[in-house]
Amino acid sequence: MELIINIFSFVGSLALFLYGMKTMSEGLEKFAGDRLRSILSAMTKNRVMGVLTGILITALIQSSSATTVMVVSFVNAGLMTLAQSIGVIMGANIGTTVTAWIISAVGFKVNIAAFAIPLLAIGMPLIFSGKGNRKSIGEFIFGFSFLFMGLSFLQEAATAMNIGDLVAGMLAHVPQDSFLTIILFVIVGAIVTMIVQASAATMAITLMLFGMNIPGFGFEQAAALAMGQNIGTTITAFMASLTANTQARRAALAHMFFNVFGVVAFLIVFYPACHAVSWFVENVMGGGNDLFKLSAFHTAFNIINTLLLIGFVRQIETLVCKMLPMKAQDEDYRLKFISGGLLSTAELSIIEAQKEIHSFAERCQRMFGFVPELLQMQDEVKFNKLFSRIEKYENITDSMEMEIASYLSKVSKGRLSDASKSQIQKMLRQITELESIGDSVYNLGRTLNRHRMHCQEAFTAEQIKHMLTMMQLVDGALTEMLKQIDQPTTKKSAKTSVNIEHEINNYRTQLKNQNLNDVNSGLYDYQLGVFYVDFISECEKLGDYVMNVVEAGKKRNNDFDDMPYAAQG
């Protein structure tokens, strides 16, 4: 019974450690969410800056997995090139070593758990603060406290379980001086990290075991475990890329290649490398804590690996492109930037959805571009083929609305700042209006199809001229909508859209009045006039939906009335 309690205590302590790291990471991401987006999305051609950015971001959020998942998401969203992502991933591997240094310095020598409870007292009022930034800082403090409480409890549980004796007993049957043993430890480190999906947790356990001076588990065995963890940590980014596009899968593959190459290279010079690190810690750093040897090895492994490969980023990019060639596919049938698999951090997922909404809007404008062709199409076979294409696009817009809404629903369940929650509400309204634009374009095509089937009289040259002019105005509104969709809309920036909308409304009224006069004058029969006015009215309605999309992007202060534009007209 006591053994079962100790096992659950050990697992629970590990869970508290992981939860603390997750909470601390998310608190920092929410506090600096926009800054993180700016830093990551502003990557330039300079690969050295990419490495430094990866180091900075990972040192801040204390999770290389989170950084690499962000990077894969950004590549998937088209915000970062594959070459840029490789540099950031290299930096992320170096940044994650900060955790090992913190644990080595204070984790087992100072009873940091004694300070954790008072820290919770400081964090509690911040957690319940109404301001998002204060709440995020409070979450960071809580996460920091839980992390080191979990670390302290982990050590206590390991001692109660006599885990040192258990490990020593298992290692007694393993040849100590065999290189195969080193390879075995690399494999174990990789498997455990794949299961836990947190290299920081397995690194903490490795440091704890190394600090126990277990017979048969010395510096070299611990170093081999640490190298294996670098392979195991790639599984998170790999899983995140499974349902992403080809470029994102290439970024995850480059991450895996980078870490596996480093392990193979270090295994070739493993024993000399261990001796060099030991000499450096003892003679340059002045000895001190033995755990520093393992942290120094972990850091040296990632820095040297980066220095070896940073000059070959283009070659790595070429290699992964050959291993994962771009598949020819009809992009109309799938989302471009977001996927149904693992999400990146909730704050950063929003930018992926924004890119997808922009793609949705582009598709709506492309769909509208078929209507002028349809109006002037004389060949019946070609007419039917183009109308079927419009019908297919309408089904696609329905699917896109549902898939993006589902994605945003998943994102909204994450830990979001107030600004991001507000942004999601705007985006949900935008996709609803975009789907309405798709329906409206389909109605235009259906009106032309019904006219061809049920009306013996063709549109007059004057009518076609007016219909084309109206469609030019609507296309201008769609173009302006695309400009506004990626930025907060203000009254000033929406002025052009408002002017176009007024022009569409006035032109609609003018054409309807002229139609009555033309029918009364006998220029064409009443039935043709009905189809003509239905087409003009649908164009005006489409313009209202466009204006609703622009309005949905308004800032948090009410620059527009809350009522949808179509309802105001």
Side-chain angles (χ1 to χ4, degrees), residues 206-458:
T206 303
L207 285 163
M208 179 186 68
L209 293 174
F210 181 47
M212 289 180 174
N213 297 316
I214 300 170
F217 189 78
F219 170 51
E220 292 168 351
Q221 288 76 19
L225 270 181
M227 287 199 303
Q229 290 156 20
N230 280 272
I231 296 175
T233 194
T234 63
I235 195 66
T236 306
F238 179 74
M239 290 175 64
S241 73
L242 287 178
T243 53
N245 61 25
T246 303
Q247 283 292 84
R249 290 198 297 274
R250 287 171 175 174
L253 182 62
H255 182 212
M256 190 172 291
F257 169 80
F258 174 76
N259 284 16
V260 171
F261 175 87
V263 169
V264 173
F266 254 71
L267 282 174
I268 295 171
V269 293
F270 181 71
Y271 291 111
C274 290
H275 294 320
V277 169
S278 295
W279 176 89
F280 181 84
V281 173
E282 291 169 3
N283 295 280
V284 178
M285 295 179 60
N289 191 342
D290 282 344
L291 298 182
F292 285 163
K293 288 184 181 180
L294 186 54
S295 298
F297 181 89
H298 192 208
T299 303
F301 169 82
N302 286 293
I303 290 177
I304 293 172
N305 196 21
T306 298
L307 293 175
L308 286 173
L309 292 177
I310 193 171
F312 298 96
V313 169
R314 294 298 175 190
Q315 287 79 1
I316 295 172
E317 182 181 16
T318 302
L319 175 65
V320 296
C321 286
K322 286 182 178 178
M323 294 176 70
L324 285 175
M326 192 71 73
K327 295 179 180 178
Q329 54 190 345
D330 184 358
E331 290 290 346
D332 289 341
Y333 286 99
R334 67 184 295 273
L335 298 180
K336 289 183 179 179
F337 303 111
I338 62 179
S339 58
L342 281 176
L343 300 171
S344 67
T345 55
E347 292 283 343
L348 292 167
S349 295
I350 292 174
I351 205 163
E352 293 180 0
Q354 191 64 55
K355 293 281 286 186
E356 197 65 68
I357 289 172
H358 189 276
S359 174
F360 192 178
E362 286 179 330
R363 183 163 283 141
C364 288
Q365 187 176 30
R366 188 159 63 248
M367 178 184 179
F368 180 74
F370 298 146
V371 181
E373 293 182 51
L374 198 68
L375 173 63
Q376 300 172 90
M377 189 75 70
Q378 298 300 319
D379 186 271
E380 185 173 354
V381 174
K382 291 182 178 179
F383 181 95
N384 291 334
K385 185 176 181 181
L386 188 58
F387 178 64
S388 296
R389 194 173 182 189
I390 291 174
E391 193 171 28
K392 185 186 82 169
Y393 263 66
E394 196 275 331
N395 291 330
I396 291 167
T397 59
D398 290 345
S399 299
M400 287 189 75
E401 181 197 16
M402 296 303 296
E403 290 184 45
I404 297 172
S406 175
Y407 182 84
L408 288 172
S409 176
K410 292 178 184 177
V411 174
S412 66
K413 293 175 183 176
R415 303 163 70 88
L416 292 168
S417 62
D418 292 339
S420 294
K421 290 176 183 176
S422 175
Q423 179 73 0
I424 285 179
Q425 291 301 314
K426 297 172 192 173
M427 293 162 79
L428 285 169
R429 182 176 169 193
Q430 282 182 325
I431 61 173
T432 299
E433 299 297 338
L434 286 170
E435 192 275 332
S436 295
I437 290 174
D439 289 344
S440 190
V441 174
Y442 173 66
N443 288 337
L444 289 172
R446 191 169 61 172
T447 298
L448 295 177
N449 188 48
R450 286 171 54 237
H451 164 260
R452 177 178 283 265
M453 293 175 63
H454 302 295
C455 186
Q456 302 299 320
E457 191 176 2

Side-chain angles (χ1 to χ4, degrees), residues 3-312:
L3 177 62
I4 294 174
I5 292 173
N6 287 336
I7 291 172
F8 273 95
S9 297
F10 183 85
V11 175
S13 302
L14 182 61
L16 185 61
F17 175 87
L18 291 172
Y19 179 73
M21 178 160 286
K22 181 175 181 289
T23 305
M24 185 175 73
S25 172
E26 288 181 345
L28 268 174
E29 287 167 18
K30 287 166 63 178
F31 178 71
D34 291 332
R35 298 178 188 87
L36 287 180
R37 290 182 218 181
S38 300
I39 291 171
L40 275 172
S41 61
M43 281 295 92
T44 63
K45 302 178 184 70
N46 190 329
R47 67 190 69 176
V48 176
M49 284 303 298
V51 172
L52 293 176
T53 302
I55 294 172
L56 174 65
I57 297 294
T58 309
L60 280 174
I61 65 176
Q62 289 293 293
S63 174
S64 61
S65 294
T67 303
T68 50
V69 170
M70 285 183 208
V71 168
V72 167
S73 300
F74 271 53
V75 173
N76 189 55
L79 300 172
M80 184 181 288
T81 67
L82 180 58
Q84 290 167 348
S85 73
I86 293 171
V88 178
I89 287 168
M90 289 177 174
N93 281 5
I94 298 174
T96 195
T97 64
V98 173
T99 308
W101 283 106
I102 294 172
I103 295 172
S104 298
V106 298
F108 299 117
K109 298 297 181 182
V110 179
N111 186 13
I112 195 73
F115 300 97
I117 301 299
L119 279 175
L120 292 175
I122 297 171
M124 186 179 69
L126 296 174
I127 283 282
F128 292 102
S129 171
K131 292 190 175 181
N133 281 348
R134 290 181 186 173
K135 187 177 293 186
S136 298
I137 293 171
E139 288 175 1
F140 170 77
I141 292 173
F142 263 62
F144 182 84
S145 300
F146 290 155
L147 187 150
F148 280 98
M149 285 169 65
L151 197 62
S152 178
F153 294 153
L154 192 68
Q155 189 179 26
E156 291 176 9
T159 303
M161 288 175 63
N162 292 320
I163 200 166
D165 293 339
L166 290 173
V167 173
M170 286 188 287
L171 294 177
H173 304 289
V174 177
Q176 301 304 311
D177 299 327
S178 173
F179 188 68
L180 291 175
T181 303
I182 298 300
I183 295 176
L184 175 64
F185 273 99
V186 170
I187 295 170
V188 170
I191 292 173
V192 172
T193 308
M194 284 180 188
I195 295 170
V196 177
Q197 287 199 32
S199 59
T202 47
M203 191 64 193
I205 294 171
T206 303
L207 285 163
M208 179 186 68
L209 293 174
F210 181 47
M212 289 180 174
N213 297 316
I214 300 170
F217 189 78
F219 170 51
E220 292 168 351
Q221 288 76 19
L225 270 181
M227 287 199 303
Q229 290 156 20
N230 280 272
I231 296 175
T233 194
T234 63
I235 195 66
T236 306
F238 179 74
M239 290 175 64
S241 73
L242 287 178
T243 53
N245 61 25
T246 303
Q247 283 292 84
R249 290 198 297 274
R250 287 171 175 174
L253 182 62
H255 182 212
M256 190 172 291
F257 169 80
F258 174 76
N259 284 16
V260 171
F261 175 87
V263 169
V264 173
F266 254 71
L267 282 174
I268 295 171
V269 293
F270 181 71
Y271 291 111
C274 290
H275 294 320
V277 169
S278 295
W279 176 89
F280 181 84
V281 173
E282 291 169 3
N283 295 280
V284 178
M285 295 179 60
N289 191 342
D290 282 344
L291 298 182
F292 285 163
K293 288 184 181 180
L294 186 54
S295 298
F297 181 89
H298 192 208
T299 303
F301 169 82
N302 286 293
I303 290 177
I304 293 172
N305 196 21
T306 298
L307 293 175
L308 286 173
L309 292 177
I310 193 171
F312 298 96

